[in-house]
Amino acid sequence: MTVITRPEPDTAFLIRDLDEKGFTAEYGCDRYTATVLSNRFDYLVEHMSGRLLSGAFSPVLRDFYDLACTISGPPEMDYLVPAASNGIVLMAGTALDGVANTVEEYGVENLGPGDVLISNDPYRTGNHNNDLNFIRPVFVDGRIVGFVNLNAHQLDMGGVVPGGFSATKTNVYENGLVISPRLLIRGGQMVTETWNLIFDNVRMATILYPDMMTICSSLELGEQLLRESIDRYGLDAVHGTIRYVCDLGAESMAAALESMPDGDWSGTEQIDCDGVDDTEQYSLEVAIRKRGPRIELDFSGTSRQARSSVNATAWDTKTSVGIALKYLFLPRGRFNSGLYHNVDIVLPEGTMLSALPPDGCVFMYWEQGQIVLTAMLRALADAVGDAAIGGDSGSADLHTAYGVHPDGTAWVSALQCGGEVGPYGANRFGDADSQCMTYQANGVAPAVEGIEKGTPAVVLRHELQIDSGGPGYFRGGAGMIRDTLWTADAQHSLTSLRYKQAAGFGARGGKDGARGGIWKFEPSQDGMVRTPGTEVPAYRVATAWAGLIDPETNTADAAGEFVYPFCAEQNTSRANSVIRYLTNAGGGWGDPLTRDPQKVLIDVRDGYVSIAGAARDYGVVVIGDPDLDPEGIAIDVAATEAMRSAT
């Protein structure tokens, strides 16, 4: 009989306390092998992602990385997930439950080698119904030993709006095709009725078909790599390492929580409106209780489910909770099932974070995920001290345009020409980047050449907004301006919900980032393009589509009037119109008056901060002309010392 050597029962048990025999008995292999296999799991999910990225036709997959790959253990291991890819973490996190829900409903006993199981119902799998889950069981000697999974956004899944991106859908029947768990591939052969069901209900099947074939190929690759690992190291070692990785995640989270003093905190956050109108306020309330190595998050005070498709499911909320805790306590390493071992979530049904069908329509789930994250980062800022993080742009700010080519074929530009690329908030490690997405996205900025080749669009401008990043000892990321010329008539779908409350909040004395907005610049009467500038007078001829807008200047202003963003009859443009997105800016970290003046000087030289902004926000007096002689500007040391002393 093998004896597992552990500490005494009254001593805290840690994996590192196991001796070599104990570790092998617990996890089916030695520590070295477990380390090799855990890294191989990471390689496997990234290799699957790479296969899809290199072979995808849809710009959402090919250019945006709107996908996630995971590995799951077999049913007897509760479908533990040891590794998730570096794609959209919101899509990876829901796989922790979505795979199990799909497989259990379909029936484990009904699966065979070479099968691919699919499902896209948000209430079963999380996310929205454009995110189609592909699950391939891996068999060894006639039994399921694991699953390789790919959650991938499909360019269109039917519904009332091409591409699906709309805040105005009010029930699941408008949302698009819902696929309950069913086989796409049986024993390596296509299930004709499933493929027909999909292609009878979606637009742009000529893109979906090769994408789905590539996804199935990626799953085959994942199965091959997992089987190779089993052949080389043994099934006990592979299963043991899955448990080891998840146990290590649980242990690490527990230790991080225990290092923080016990306490109670609360946070509140809101979205601006729903897709019906802005007469109802939707707010999130979270009460956080931390005791020892456990933490509870209670969302009982959260508003009811929204009247349109801006809701999320419980699976999405659970994912965002895990992301927030990981950012604050375990910033390194993969997302896995073990992170939730010491986490309790209280979430009533029927809220905007836990919507129910048919009227709790779910599509823009990521916007709700963002306010979960922001509320937690705000609430725990004092508790974590210097580990606090400034807020990011707050909204994925996704833009979809669609129309018809002269030959009658439909076109869609999805997630390409909006505010998708924006800033992070600063933290204790340094200034924030401005060329990112939101904290939960981790997508890829679309290439301008790819945008212009596939749609009637020309990207005219993509640059940072001066003086927008939240001032701090470390500066928040700048708001990004993107101007896109649409050379054909187009309809536009906006998904911006974070203007009324500063999303890019400051941390540890840092200041909030500036608010953004969306504008349309119409062509002149003779149809010629107006190329707008970025100075205040340029906005006077624009039509504001979203944001808090100063009625005098028509520019974004935190004290301005709210412009409702979801007027379908408003969000259209005729050929040669320019649509401008200005993202919210990221929050600063630390007192801006303690920032190194030399860093402020560099910010002025590089266009992040103006001379006036340097004096106003940082107490630094810069002399010279940053436009005509950027290398010749200098700090007036005496004036700077006097200004900072007087503040």
Side-chain angles (χ1 to χ4, degrees):
M1 182 178 72
T2 302
V3 177
I4 301 175
T5 306
R6 300 180 182 270
E8 293 298 322
D10 59 345
T11 303
F13 165 64
L14 296 173
I15 293 173
R16 67 170 176 262
D17 293 332
L18 290 170
D19 62 20
E20 289 304 316
K21 290 183 179 179
F23 186 95
T24 301
E26 182 74 11
Y27 295 113
C29 60
D30 57 53
R31 278 187 168 87
Y32 179 82
T33 301
T35 302
V36 170
L37 280 169
S38 63
N39 282 280
R40 187 168 174 83
F41 294 158
D42 295 345
Y43 164 79
L44 188 157
V45 294
E46 293 304 333
H47 208 23
M48 288 173 62
S49 297
R51 167 67 65 87
L52 178 53
L53 284 170
S54 63
F57 287 75
S58 165
V60 179
L61 296 175
R62 180 194 68 218
D63 302 333
F64 197 79
Y65 206 177
D66 200 350
L67 59 98
C69 298
T70 60
I71 309 169
S72 299
E76 63 269 22
M77 295 179 64
D78 294 325
Y79 303 90
L80 288 174
V81 174
S85 64
N86 284 328
I88 307 296
V89 66
L90 283 168
M91 298 169 71
T94 53
L96 273 60
D97 298 287
V99 171
N101 292 344
T102 301
V103 172
E104 289 295 317
E105 180 175 343
Y106 183 77
V108 179
E109 69 281 2
N110 297 321
L111 293 171
D115 288 354
V116 175
L117 182 66
I118 60 171
S119 178
N120 76 335
D121 180 19
Y123 310 98
R124 291 174 167 98
T125 63
N127 307 140
H128 53 203
N129 57 352
N130 282 61
D131 295 331
L132 186 54
N133 287 267
F134 298 77
I135 302 165
R136 185 179 180 97
V138 179
F139 281 80
V140 171
D141 296 331
R143 62 177 276 217
I144 294 177
V145 297
F147 299 87
V148 289
N149 319 300
L150 213 160
N151 186 358
H153 184 102
Q154 306 304 301
L155 190 59
D156 184 82
M157 289 302 290
V160 296
V161 178
F165 285 89
S166 169
T168 61
K169 297 176 288 186
T170 58
N171 56 61
V172 297
Y173 312 113
E174 297 177 345
N175 212 17
L177 178 64
V178 175
I179 304 173
S180 59
R182 66 190 61 220
L183 289 182
L184 182 72
I185 304 289
R186 179 184 287 112
Q189 301 299 313
M190 298 169 66
V191 179
T192 304
E193 58 266 31
T194 301
W195 291 83
N196 288 344
L197 171 69
I198 295 172
F199 294 133
D200 285 346
N201 285 278
V202 305
R203 308 166 182 90
M204 303 167 204
T206 53
I207 292 179
L208 265 67
Y209 177 76
D211 279 349
M212 291 169 63
M213 294 298 289
T214 305
I215 290 166
C216 291
S217 173
S218 299
L219 292 173
E220 290 181 15
L221 173 64
E223 178 183 15
Q224 174 189 329
L225 294 173
L226 185 58
R227 288 177 62 92
E228 287 175 358
S229 298
I230 294 169
D231 291 342
R232 181 168 183 176
Y233 296 99
L235 183 58
D236 288 345
V238 169
H239 281 175
T241 301
I242 290 174
R243 289 189 292 103
Y244 162 71
V245 170
C246 295
D247 286 353
L248 190 59
E251 183 178 284
S252 299
M253 181 62 75
L257 290 170
E258 198 150 28
S259 68
M260 184 178 76
D262 290 349
D264 294 6
W265 304 273
S266 62
T268 183
E269 202 69 34
Q270 69 180 56
I271 58 172
D272 294 339
C273 55
D274 63 16
V276 176
D277 54 42
D278 63 340
T279 59
E280 184 166 347
Q281 179 173 320
Y282 294 100
S283 60
L284 173 156
E285 302 286 343
V286 59
I288 303 175
R289 306 176 184 91
K290 183 267 172 186
R291 301 291 185 271
R294 296 199 69 84
I295 191 167
E296 178 189 89
L297 300 105
D298 187 343
F299 294 95
S300 295
T302 297
S303 296
R304 71 180 181 113
Q305 61 190 33
R307 298 168 294 177
S308 71
S309 52
V310 300
N311 296 294
T313 70
W315 315 119
D316 305 308
T317 300
K318 176 183 175 181
T319 297
S320 293
V321 166
I323 293 169
L325 293 175
K326 198 166 189 320
Y327 263 114
L328 291 170
F329 300 113
L330 292 176
R332 300 185 184 279
R334 296 276 176 170
F335 205 86
N336 65 62
S337 297
L339 301 177
Y340 292 94
H341 186 77
N342 283 34
V343 180
D344 300 306
I345 300 173
V346 180
L347 180 60
E349 291 184 331
T351 74
M352 63 184 189
L353 305 180
S354 55
L356 299 174
D359 297 325
C361 189
V362 173
F363 195 87
M364 290 166 51
Y365 69 93
W366 62 88
E367 297 293 329
Q368 301 290 4
Q370 276 293 128
I371 64 170
V372 171
L373 177 72
T374 304
M376 290 180 62
L377 294 183
R378 284 189 196 267
L380 293 171
D382 289 338
V384 300
D386 286 348
I389 302 169
D392 63 0
S393 59
S395 171
D397 231 358
L398 305 176
H399 172 269
T400 301
Y402 53 93
V404 179
H405 289 297
D407 64 1
T409 59
W411 61 266
V412 172
S413 168
L415 323 187
Q416 294 180 312
C417 295
E420 295 89 0
V421 178
Y424 276 4
N427 58 36
R428 57 180 165 167
F429 298 109
D431 296 339
D433 201 330
S434 302
Q435 274 289 110
C436 299
M437 293 184 182
T438 61
Y439 284 148
Q440 303 191 98
N442 197 36
V444 176
V448 171
E449 295 82 0
I451 295 170
E452 296 179 344
K453 179 181 179 182
T455 56
V458 179
V459 179
L460 302 179
R461 173 181 279 114
H462 183 76
E463 62 186 47
L464 60 88
Q465 173 69 32
I466 196 168
D467 285 336
S468 59
Y473 178 80
F474 289 124
R475 174 184 40 75
M480 299 300 298
I481 305 174
R482 171 167 280 193
D483 287 351
T484 304
L485 166 66
W486 296 93
T487 60
D489 293 351
Q491 291 180 276
H492 303 265
S493 176
L494 316 181
T495 63
S496 305
L497 287 171
R498 299 293 300 285
Y499 296 119
K500 290 182 178 179
Q501 188 177 9
F505 63 90
R508 304 299 285 171
K511 306 301 181 183
D512 295 346
R515 313 291 173 90
I518 307 171
W519 296 263
K520 176 178 70 171
F521 296 84
E522 291 192 326
S524 60
Q525 289 186 347
D526 60 2
M528 298 299 291
V529 177
R530 290 178 178 173
T531 305
T534 58
E535 301 300 323
V536 171
Y539 287 86
R540 296 190 184 279
V541 299
T543 300
W545 273 4
L548 294 177
I549 304 299
D550 183 327
E552 295 293 327
T553 64
N554 207 29
T555 59
D557 189 327
E561 298 177 358
F562 179 65
V563 175
Y564 183 70
F566 305 129
C567 297
E569 68 280 2
Q570 169 186 301
N571 299 336
T572 62
S573 65
R574 59 191 178 103
N576 288 341
S577 294
V578 174
I579 307 302
R580 168 170 294 174
Y581 269 77
L582 170 60
T583 70
N584 296 326
W589 186 95
D591 184 355
L593 295 178
T594 64
R595 183 170 174 81
D596 184 347
Q598 288 297 322
K599 290 186 176 181
V600 178
L601 182 70
I602 293 171
D603 284 342
V604 172
R605 182 198 68 188
D606 293 346
Y608 287 94
V609 178
S610 68
I611 286 181
R616 178 187 64 244
D617 298 330
Y618 294 97
V620 175
V621 179
V622 177
I623 54 177
D625 190 327
D627 294 323
L628 298 179
D629 185 17
E631 298 302 329
I633 61 174
I635 297 171
D636 186 328
V637 177
T640 295
E641 291 176 351
M643 182 174 287
R644 285 190 164 186
S645 297
T647 303

